[in-house]
Amino acid sequence: MILGKCPYCDGNVISKKINVKGKNIKLYSCENAKKEYDESEQYVFTADSTCRFRVYSNAFLRWNKRSFSENEMKNLLNNEQIIVRLHGKAGTKEYYKYVITDLEYGVSVLWDEEIEERA
Ligand SMILES: [Zn+2]
């Protein structure tokens, strides 16, 4: 499924279901950013890859957001930034942050930008 245009090249960003360490997650990847295992079992970009833009749906797991959905990814590609809801440790309050695309890391949270709490 095509989610939108890659912000870094002319490629389409495609959603795929993948399995990582027994967990089903989604990978939103520019069609020009393909990875494979090389001879030494390193997961590297293929020789014909011209882009590096890839986002995993568990990119925000560290901040207790279980899944970054296809819709959120679409909105990010269309609007260049989106607001995501993150959580602290159990029992602490949720909070909102802006997220932008990042060529190396897929997504990047703008920690210094405050967002007014929504009513
Ligand atoms: Zn690309």
Side-chain angles (χ1 to χ4, degrees), residues 55-103:
V55 177
Y56 292 92
S57 65
N58 64 2
F60 302 104
L61 205 56
R62 278 178 66 189
W63 302 288
N64 299 306
K65 178 174 170 55
R66 285 224 185 112
S67 180
F68 185 58
S69 72
E70 285 180 342
N71 270 334
E72 287 175 301
M73 188 66 197
K74 265 189 205 168
N75 287 338
L76 176 60
L77 294 173
N78 286 333
N79 304 315
E80 292 172 13
Q81 70 174 27
I82 58 162
I83 294 169
V84 295
R85 189 175 67 176
L86 304 173
H87 297 263
K89 291 195 188 92
T92 62
K93 242 173 106 189
E94 62 188 25
Y95 55 99
Y96 295 89
K97 285 289 168 192
Y98 289 110
V99 162
I100 56 168
T101 63
D102 186 287
L103 182 57

Side-chain angles (χ1 to χ4, degrees), residues 5-62:
K5 284 277 163 205
C6 174
Y8 304 103
C9 73
D10 294 332
N12 290 313
V13 174
I14 294 166
S15 171
K16 274 184 237 172
K17 288 198 180 98
I18 59 167
N19 190 290
V20 178
K21 294 175 189 158
K23 294 215 159 120
N24 289 312
I25 61 168
K26 286 186 179 139
L27 168 65
Y28 314 126
S29 169
C30 172
E31 59 192 348
N32 297 319
K34 287 167 280 179
K35 277 191 162 182
E36 64 183 3
Y37 287 97
D38 69 8
E39 312 81 56
S40 53
E41 301 289 301
Q42 298 268 41
Y43 197 47
V44 295
F45 284 100
T46 59
D48 63 341
S49 287
T50 52
C51 189
R52 309 174 69 84
F53 185 60
R54 295 159 65 91
V55 177
Y56 292 92
S57 65
N58 64 2
F60 302 104
L61 205 56
R62 278 178 66 189

